[in-house]
Amino acid sequence: MSAPEDLAPAPATYFDLTGQIALVTGASRGIGFAIASALGRAGATVVLNARTAASLAAGAAALRAAGIACETAPFDVADADAGAQAVAAIVARHGRLDVLVGNAGATSRAALGDWTVEAWDAILDTNLRSALFLAQAAAGPMRRQGSGRIVFTSSITGILGRATIHAYVASKAGLAGLTRSLAAELGPHGITCNCIAPGYVETDLSRPLMADAAFVQRVVDRTALKRWAKPEEIAGVALMLASRAGSYVTGQQIAVDGGMTTTM
């Protein structure tokens, strides 16, 4: 009896990114650093982004010490030209770009009556506009390759909403729509586009929230798994979406929230 023509690859290769090049924005710490680490441990050469080289130094050193091929690309994601130049430089060095993880983000809190045009635009530029133009830059080499993975970090606040962080909520909800439209356009070129909507995660950025015992308990009470997430739990889903394991997943927003948005 002959072997099936479409014999599935060995499961051990599903998450293998050997030889691939991945750019991760907002990667100096927290979720972004965890994602970069996961992609690097799977074999990718990872390019870490943050606004300054100094903020990337410690993370890059840690990854290199772990044997991960790592580069840095400091630029402000809100600067579309800087992002396009960074992508072009990566492709010039390596001849390709396989994975774009748009993780950089910002937030601001104010009562409705206190919001200004400048504050609104700053959050939308960083969280949403940057995603479009980084995807635009990455899509060129990915189209030429006939393959690519784009993954954005959204938030469950784009699903549930929360008072006073109106621009953040709007930007994260917008990312879900952008994800779907990019998936529709780029799918015929072998490029997938998805976003991850984390729940509450234990990171340096969430320390002010975690210092509020009452708020921590509210999150725990609302979450089916009765705890906050660790950054590596978000990174695991990013790795799946960036790898062969997620090759038929596109246009999706995946909540990684311990059940917060799906249980009562």
Side-chain angles (χ1 to χ4, degrees):
M1 180 177 178
S2 60
E5 291 182 5
D6 296 324
L7 187 66
T13 70
Y14 285 1
F15 299 94
D16 183 9
L17 300 180
T18 299
Q20 296 197 22
I21 310 300
L23 169 62
V24 183
T25 70
S28 62
R29 57 183 176 169
I31 292 171
F33 180 76
I35 291 173
S37 178
L39 300 183
R41 290 181 186 279
T45 294
V46 292
V47 183
L48 307 185
N49 158 263
R51 289 184 180 180
T52 67
S55 66
L56 293 167
L63 293 185
R64 290 169 184 145
I68 293 171
C70 176
E71 301 174 2
T72 60
F75 64 90
D76 184 349
V77 296
D79 184 338
D81 289 339
Q85 290 168 15
V87 169
I90 292 167
V91 175
R93 282 197 305 276
H94 298 284
R96 60 188 303 112
L97 177 63
D98 300 282
V99 181
L100 167 65
V101 179
N103 172 73
T107 191
S108 183
R109 184 180 300 278
L112 176 59
D114 296 330
W115 275 89
T116 65
V117 171
E118 292 77 15
W120 174 271
D121 286 348
I123 300 304
L124 270 291
D125 285 353
T126 297
N127 293 2
L128 184 56
R129 190 174 71 105
S130 69
L132 173 67
F133 289 106
L134 279 171
Q136 182 185 70
M142 289 179 178
R143 282 192 180 103
R144 291 192 293 272
Q145 295 157 199
S147 64
R149 301 281 191 268
I150 298 173
V151 182
F152 298 128
T153 302
S154 179
S155 168
I156 60 165
T157 61
I159 301 170
L160 293 174
R162 190 175 170 202
T164 74
I165 55 170
H166 306 300
Y168 184 81
V169 168
S171 67
K172 296 303 186 178
L175 268 179
L178 178 61
T179 293
R180 291 188 289 270
S181 63
L182 291 175
E185 181 169 343
L186 298 177
H189 302 278
I191 304 166
T192 65
C193 185
N194 296 283
C195 68
I196 301 170
Y200 286 91
V201 185
E202 295 179 3
T203 67
D204 288 344
L205 293 178
S206 66
R207 288 196 190 283
L209 294 176
M210 297 181 70
D212 183 341
F215 182 80
V216 170
Q217 193 58 49
R218 278 176 53 201
V219 171
V220 170
D221 290 343
R222 176 72 186 265
T223 304
L225 292 180
K226 301 305 178 189
R227 63 179 178 84
W228 290 42
K230 303 289 187 183
E232 56 266 27
E233 293 178 299
I234 312 303
V237 178
L239 174 58
M240 182 274 289
L241 293 172
S243 69
R244 186 194 305 247
S247 59
Y248 203 60
V249 181
T250 197
Q252 302 303 309
Q253 176 172 247
I254 301 176
V256 186
D257 65 354
M260 177 177 277
T261 58
T262 56
T263 58
M264 294 180 63

